[in-house]
Amino acid sequence: MIQVEHLTKRYGPNTAVQDLSFQVAPGEILGLLGPNGAGKTTTLRVLAGFLPATEGKVQVAGFDVFEQPMEVKRRIGYLPELPPLYPEMSVEGYLGFVARLKRLPPRQVPGRIDAVLEQCSLGEVQHRLLGRLSKGYRQRVGLAQVLIHDPPVLILDEPTAGLDPRQILEVRQLIKSLGGSRTIILSTHILPEVSATCGRVVIINRGQVVAVDTPENLSRRRTGAERLLVRIDGPADQVKEALGAVPGVAAVQEEISDGVTGWQVEGPGDLGPALAREVVQRGWGLRELRPLTLSLEDIFIELTTAEPSAEGEEVAA
Amino acid sequence: MRAVANIWRRELLSLFAAAPAYVVLAVFLGLAGFFFYNILVAVVNQTFLVDFRSQQFGGPPPPIDVPSIVLRGYLGIAAQLLLFLMPLLTMSSLAEERRRGTMELLLTSPLGVGQLVLGKFLAVLAVIALMIGITFLFPLLLATYTKVEFVAVAAGYGGLLLLSGGLAALGLFVSSLTDSQVIAAVLGFGLMLLLGVIHLGGEGAQGAWGELLKQLSVFEHFQDLAKGVVDSGDVVFYLSLIALGLFLTYRSVETLRWRG
Ligand SMILES: Nc1ncnc2c1ncn2[C@@H]1O[C@H](COP(=O)(O)OP(=O)(O)OP(=O)(O)O)[C@@H](O)[C@H]1O
Ligand SMILES: [Mg+2]
């Protein structure tokens, strides 16, 4: 549905995106993950046909973005980084304007406005002026604007930016529910966001792809090991020893967070059941046992430091 | 066409809701009324004086067409008022779209740049037509006292609309160059003033150069139209100005994406 081949975008002498290639299958939700300045917005702007690429080929919904921009524009909903709102318009009036802008047949406009107001929980503010809405509501109007003409391809630049935790969950739920029938690419710099919504992740850094994988694999594969957090009611010195003695455990580290002592256990394979059995056999209380996933920062440190050494190994081998 | 109407309608909403269209309208009507009244009084006094003199010295009074003189005077003033007020109507047009990021919405929608520019232009033109249209009360008022040549008057008002159209198109272009309304307004004033006084530069100069500068003045081409004389050269001049302004705006918006 979306094909990006060797995309390069330069702003004058600065390269924002370099030789980027990836694909998004129909019905897939793809996350574009990267730190500030990685080139996420730039990539999405090229996909949406707002920026021309310096080099490379981009196809969306079967059409080349540069050769048949109109065909592409008819089929996409695009949420820019900053929701494109007119402060002096009402929510309803604005959605009507966008609906006509996207060439929705006039008869369908009122029905679609009602539908997206409902979908984005905007019913109670529909008569308010956009300039008077809170940031979270603006973001939601931005999303409603994307959905108004029910496009098959959605391009979302940080769709949950500025939302409160409950709204974040709602919007993620909404995005997830949209997947399947629609192809979605979204950008974010929050890893949990990706795990919660996306089937696949492209991680970019300084305009280049660092990794492409499913969120689950990404959090694990770089360490090549599973990491678990265990909290136990029991004598600390014995606990550490006992955990270390469980078959398969490679390392045990004390971790104190929020004043509560826990143990970070690392090792290849599935450690959970063996750890639980050990604790129960000793008659201690098992308070918590959960897998630790890496934060984005961790992954980045991993990816950016592991890459050169991995190449070095190859050269050596 | 529907796409143009959509842009047109939204732009009018913004002009009246957020931008100073009401203020511009009020200021224009206030000043227009003030000048119209003063010109009327001056011309009427003049007629009395002439009548009085011809009675004293004998002979028939020279014919004085009061409505024509008054309206010609008024239209000349109105053209200058519009020249000053135009940047206020056009400054936000494209600059605000750029600043607010809504340009990103417009340029990623199935909307031609031509449709966008045309919709914007027609919205400004509608506001001007409303302003000028309301002052059509002046000739109607005169008509209740004396005979008014409405064909000539209509030509004058049409000329005023053409002139405003040219200024509006150039104002749009200036607005597309920046994402700051203030800069757009200042640049707009500069350009308008230049077009208004460019013939003064030609006054001292001789020959072709002087003539060229004179031909570029928006007011020079209005003199005949204000009298109700439609010269195709003048009409073509204003239409070219409109076309030039719109074309420059079109190119400017198109290349916006390349400029980032
Ligand atoms: N209009 C522009 N002109 C020049 N350079 C730009 C422009 N837009 C972005 N850049 C540069 O391109 C690079 C990538 O920027 P981009 O906005 O795509 O990053 P991002 O991944 O979206 O970051 P963020 O998480 O902060 O939104 C940055 O170095 C930025 O400074
Ligand atoms: Mg960004």
Side-chain angles (χ1 to χ4, degrees), chain A residues 11-12 14-17 34-43 45 51 81 157-158 187-189 204, chain B residues 259-260:
Chain A
Y11 293 107
N14 302 326
T15 306
V17 171
N36 292 138
K40 304 183 293 291
T41 298
T42 304
T43 306
R45 281 181 162 173
L51 283 181
E81 196 161 39
D157 201 350
E158 300 195 19
S187 81
T188 176
H189 46 245
I204 59 172
Chain B
R259 288 185 271 138

Side-chain angles (χ1 to χ4, degrees), chain A residues 105-186:
Chain A
R107 261 178 298 114
Q108 293 176 20
V109 173
R112 283 302 300 163
I113 292 178
D114 288 343
V116 296
L117 285 175
E118 164 89 36
Q119 253 179 328
C120 301
S121 326
L122 287 166
E124 58 207 84
V125 297
Q126 69 184 92
H127 303 299
R128 299 263 300 271
L129 292 184
L130 293 171
R132 308 242 168 94
L133 293 183
S134 69
K135 187 159 164 30
Y137 271 105
R138 285 180 206 200
Q139 188 72 19
R140 272 148 70 170
V141 175
L143 268 173
Q145 165 271 126
V146 168
L147 300 172
I148 190 86
H149 55 306
D150 201 10
V153 177
L154 308 185
I155 300 171
L156 311 173
D157 201 350
E158 300 195 19
T160 58
L163 299 179
D164 70 35
R166 219 195 64 205
Q167 291 174 343
I168 288 183
L169 291 183
E170 278 177 22
V171 167
R172 283 183 193 163
Q173 204 57 45
L174 174 67
I175 292 174
K176 250 187 125 156
S177 72
L178 292 170
S181 56
R182 294 173 193 77
T183 308
I184 304 177
I185 178 167
L186 61 86

Side-chain angles (χ1 to χ4, degrees), chain A residues 58 135 146 253 279 281 299 316:
Chain A
V58 177
K135 187 159 164 30
V146 168
Q253 245 180 23
V279 173
Q281 268 173 17
I299 291 184

Side-chain angles (χ1 to χ4, degrees), chain A residues 45 48-52 70 73-74 78 80 82 84-89 94 97 100-103 106 145, chain B residues 2 6-7 9-10 13-14 17-18 97 100-112 115 257-258:
Chain A
R45 281 181 162 173
F50 180 67
L51 283 181
M70 276 299 163
K73 286 172 186 182
R74 275 174 214 271
Y78 171 48
L82 186 75
L85 309 181
Y86 296 96
E88 65 275 11
M89 292 184 99
Y94 170 73
F97 166 71
R100 288 184 291 271
L101 190 64
K102 306 289 184 181
R103 305 205 183 175
Q145 165 271 126
Chain B
R2 218 184 260 157
N6 193 31
I7 296 291
R9 194 159 5 141
R10 206 214 62 74
L13 187 140
S14 277
E97 300 275 9
R100 294 192 294 219
T102 42
M103 195 61 108
E104 215 164 330
L105 168 68
L106 297 176
L107 294 184
T108 55
S109 296
L111 172 80
Q115 294 172 318
R257 310 183 302 159
W258 274 261

Side-chain angles (χ1 to χ4, degrees), chain B residues 187-208:
Chain B
L187 283 177
F189 276 122
L191 184 62
M192 302 288 153
L193 276 178
L194 179 68
L195 286 172
V197 300
I198 198 166
H199 60 283
L200 297 181
E203 235 132 68
Q206 311 272 303

